[in-house]
Amino acid sequence: MDTLETRPAVPNPAAGKSTLTRLGAVRWLSPTELVRTGLKAVLAGVFGQYADRREMQQGPMFEQSTFPHTGDGEFWFDYVSDIGDGFDATYSVASLLASDLDLPEAGGVLPRGSVLVMGGDQVYPFGDVEAYEQRTTKVYAAAFPEAAGGNATADSPVLYAVPGNHDWYDGLTAFLRVFGQQENIGGWCTRQKRSYFALDLPHGWWLMAIDIQLDTYIDKPQLEYFKKVAEKIGDNDSVIVCTAVPSWYEPTESSIDRLAYFLRYSLGERARQVRVVLTGDVHHYARYQSDQPDTPILVTAGTGGAYTSATHLLPEELPVSAKLSDTRAEAAAKLTYKRRGETWPPRPESSRVSWTVLWRLAARNWTLLLVFAGLYGLLAAGALLGSWLWVVALLALAGGGAVAFTKPRTGSRGRRWRYGVGLALVQLAPAIAMVWWIPRIAGEWGWLERAGVVAGAAVAGGVLVAELLAAWLLVVSRREVNVNELFAALSIEDYKGFLRCRIERDGTLSIFPIGLRKSVRDWEPATGDKGPRLVPKPPEKLDVRLIEPPVRVRS
């Protein structure tokens, strides 16, 4: 962590220079991070059942209708998701969101959106006021400073946000303080009072952003809110739904069932007018479409700053419940959705990058390396001292940890045990050989020599186990096991992006998927009184491009 000197967000000759904290990307396989975030997730799930903040968003204080955005000409809005991780990736994306983009392959300039929709997981590893401030709001305010005086104008872009699971880890308290108080975030103003909202967009388009808590049920007040919104939707209008989880990726039906229930209960017959479903949560860009008419396009775009997720393991086709497009469809009915266009990162690059886990896992999660080294050191010491009960207890603890770490995407509990025991054997076989071998070789040595053996076992064992874990992740990910952990271990800050969307006068929606190949790592203070507070330090630059040609959806 370091600080960067910048000019003040609001020009003030007396203010001098200000500083911006530059936090690194979260190291997800760090033992402390695994334990801390795991406990937060468990507590959020438990207390969320008894104190659901969505059901408390009632009364005059939380009164909220639809948010109209009218106009006769073209209308532009942006969608970004899974932000608020490392500074470099988050600020790189934020500075692009704050700017007009001149992309010849897109036909010219793509202006900054009048609306910015944040689609979930606005902060990592979990939401609290300090984390939002350091990893999100200050970063976005530096990329798009508010005007002198700090007052929003009619031309100020509006920011809306829907929470993801990481926003929910404190029970949604910090999220509502940040996004539900109608306060500016840099040059963006906020309007929402609840954790969900509906936008009445020009030329017959509506955007509905739902709060699914930790991918659980949708509360009754929220369902009723959107039911009232649906009454305003015209026969020829079209709907975009934003949700925090790509239900179509989930191996069980529960997630897609909850989304289908929302469509059936709140939208009713208007559910057939849903043309696009936008989501994040998985940190890549991918698009799936069905050949059947009147079915929504499914877009995952969680590329706003969090570690990059794999695309080379995405299936060509997905069976998706027909209830997503037809609320009257039978429960067992499926539609085939095919992956279309390009992904981000591109599939060949995703495959190539996955191999770097063999050296990046240990380098980027060095505290995990220390834990492995400590385990082998304690095992060696126990073997030399003849403390076999201690040795067996440590081996059992490590084996249990291996099983708990194993996460197959599909299959029974037995499949998890098979892969978990396999991981335990891979990691503990060298340890078992070591505790058998060391007493026979060094059992009669002096204390100093024994200490050297323990130290050597700790170093060699720590490195060996880290490499074995990396190799195991690389192999089993091809079997849809621990795919997320494979790329979480890499903490890749490149292949970022967002969606820039245009609604044309004839009602056509054009989605421009914006890709950033490499996040900037070297910044310098900007000059002048306007624009971002930090700019890339030459020769670095924001290497922005279209991921694929614009996706056009006719109303």
Side-chain angles (χ1 to χ4, degrees), residues 276-527:
V276 182
V277 182
L278 299 179
T279 188
D281 191 58
V282 182
H283 310 151
H284 61 219
Y285 170 81
R287 173 171 58 92
Y288 282 86
Q289 287 183 234
S290 171
D291 293 331
Q292 296 294 323
D294 300 323
T295 54
I297 299 172
L298 310 179
V299 180
T300 306
T303 53
Y307 67 86
T308 300
S309 295
T311 56
H312 65 288
L313 301 173
L314 286 174
E316 293 288 339
E317 296 183 350
L318 284 173
V320 178
S321 172
K323 292 182 290 185
L324 196 60
S325 55
D326 184 356
T327 57
R328 295 170 295 184
E330 295 182 2
K334 301 285 186 181
L335 293 177
T336 298
Y337 272 73
K338 299 178 181 180
R339 195 183 68 245
R340 301 291 176 84
E342 298 296 329
T343 62
W344 195 247
R347 287 164 55 80
E349 293 188 39
S350 172
S351 178
R352 176 184 59 80
V353 167
S354 68
W355 286 87
T356 65
V357 73
L358 294 174
W359 61 88
R360 280 185 172 175
L361 184 145
R364 300 208 169 185
N365 303 275
W366 59 269
T367 54
L368 182 65
L369 191 67
L370 293 180
V371 169
F372 290 153
L375 172 65
Y376 267 67
L378 290 171
L379 286 170
L384 286 172
L385 294 173
S387 302
W388 296 110
L389 185 61
W390 173 254
V391 168
V392 171
L394 285 174
L395 290 174
L397 180 64
V403 174
F405 178 77
T406 305
K407 294 181 179 179
R409 179 177 175 271
T410 59
S412 64
R413 186 174 299 178
R415 187 167 188 252
R416 178 175 187 173
W417 273 97
R418 288 196 300 274
Y419 279 99
V421 171
L423 174 60
L425 291 175
V426 165
Q427 293 196 298
L428 296 182
I432 295 171
M434 179 191 70
V435 299
W436 179 89
W437 174 75
I438 281 182
R440 289 161 175 76
I441 300 299
E444 302 300 325
W445 292 2
W447 287 105
L448 186 60
E449 290 83 357
R450 287 186 175 191
V453 170
V454 171
V459 173
V463 173
L464 176 62
V465 172
E467 288 305 303
L468 289 173
L469 175 60
W472 181 85
L473 285 170
L474 193 60
V475 172
V476 302
S477 64
R478 269 62 179 177
R479 306 287 296 175
E480 295 189 315
V481 178
N482 286 78
V483 175
N484 184 58
E485 285 70 26
L486 170 65
F487 272 69
L490 300 176
S491 295
I492 299 171
E493 296 186 80
D494 300 319
Y495 303 104
K496 303 308 170 199
F498 61 96
L499 306 179
R500 180 148 288 178
C501 306
R502 177 182 65 197
I503 301 176
E504 300 173 19
R505 291 181 177 87
D506 64 356
T508 301
L509 171 68
S510 298
I511 303 173
F512 297 84
I514 306 298
L516 177 65
R517 171 60 184 82
K518 182 178 175 61
S519 298
V520 173
R521 267 69 168 185
D522 198 4
W523 304 91
E524 63 181 7
T527 58

Side-chain angles (χ1 to χ4, degrees), residues 107-175:
V109 176
L110 308 182
R112 183 192 67 229
S114 299
V115 165
L116 170 59
V117 176
M118 291 184 171
D121 289 346
Q122 276 69 244
V123 69
Y124 290 93
F126 48 81
D128 60 40
V129 173
E130 182 179 2
Y132 276 113
E133 183 178 276
Q134 296 295 334
R135 292 188 179 271
T136 307
T137 57
K138 278 190 173 182
V139 179
Y140 269 69
F144 186 38
E146 61 185 348
N151 295 320
T153 66
D155 296 328
S156 297
V158 186
L159 186 156
Y160 301 93
V162 65
N165 58 307
H166 290 270
D167 302 292
W168 261 99
Y169 286 165
D170 75 333
L172 210 63
T173 300
F175 176 90

Side-chain angles (χ1 to χ4, degrees), residues 526-540:
T527 58
D529 293 338
K530 295 182 179 180
R533 295 165 60 191
L534 293 170
V535 294
K537 185 176 182 179
E540 291 219 46

Side-chain angles (χ1 to χ4, degrees), residues 136-344:
T136 307
T137 57
K138 278 190 173 182
V139 179
Y140 269 69
F144 186 38
E146 61 185 348
N151 295 320
T153 66
D155 296 328
S156 297
V158 186
L159 186 156
Y160 301 93
V162 65
N165 58 307
H166 290 270
D167 302 292
W168 261 99
Y169 286 165
D170 75 333
L172 210 63
T173 300
F175 176 90
L176 291 173
R177 289 177 180 172
V178 172
F179 299 105
Q181 303 292 327
Q182 298 84 58
E183 295 181 354
N184 294 351
I185 298 176
W188 287 280
C189 62
T190 64
R191 294 180 181 175
Q192 71 190 88
K193 298 179 181 179
R194 303 184 186 183
S195 57
Y196 48 88
F197 54 88
L199 309 183
D200 181 1
L201 303 177
H203 313 306
W205 280 90
W206 294 77
L207 187 147
M208 298 185 177
I210 61 177
D211 178 3
I212 59 171
Q213 204 198 49
L214 298 168
D215 197 17
T216 56
Y217 77 102
I218 300 177
D219 57 293
K220 187 65 175 292
Q222 183 177 181
L223 291 170
E224 293 297 330
Y225 169 83
F226 284 109
K227 192 173 185 178
K228 291 180 180 179
V229 173
E231 296 173 357
K232 303 177 183 179
I233 298 176
D235 292 340
N236 296 318
D237 291 351
S238 299
V239 179
I240 303 166
V241 172
C242 294
T243 180
V245 171
S247 302
W248 46 95
Y249 285 173
E250 298 300 318
T252 62
E253 292 291 317
S254 57
S255 184
I256 202 80
D257 283 347
R258 286 188 286 269
L259 181 57
Y261 179 76
F262 158 76
L263 297 175
R264 181 173 70 253
Y265 183 94
S266 294
L267 271 64
E269 289 299 316
R270 299 302 186 197
R272 294 174 176 269
Q273 296 169 232
V274 175
R275 307 302 306 279
V276 182
V277 182
L278 299 179
T279 188
D281 191 58
V282 182
H283 310 151
H284 61 219
Y285 170 81
R287 173 171 58 92
Y288 282 86
Q289 287 183 234
S290 171
D291 293 331
Q292 296 294 323
D294 300 323
T295 54
I297 299 172
L298 310 179
V299 180
T300 306
T303 53
Y307 67 86
T308 300
S309 295
T311 56
H312 65 288
L313 301 173
L314 286 174
E316 293 288 339
E317 296 183 350
L318 284 173
V320 178
S321 172
K323 292 182 290 185
L324 196 60
S325 55
D326 184 356
T327 57
R328 295 170 295 184
E330 295 182 2
K334 301 285 186 181
L335 293 177
T336 298
Y337 272 73
K338 299 178 181 180
R339 195 183 68 245
R340 301 291 176 84
E342 298 296 329
T343 62
W344 195 247

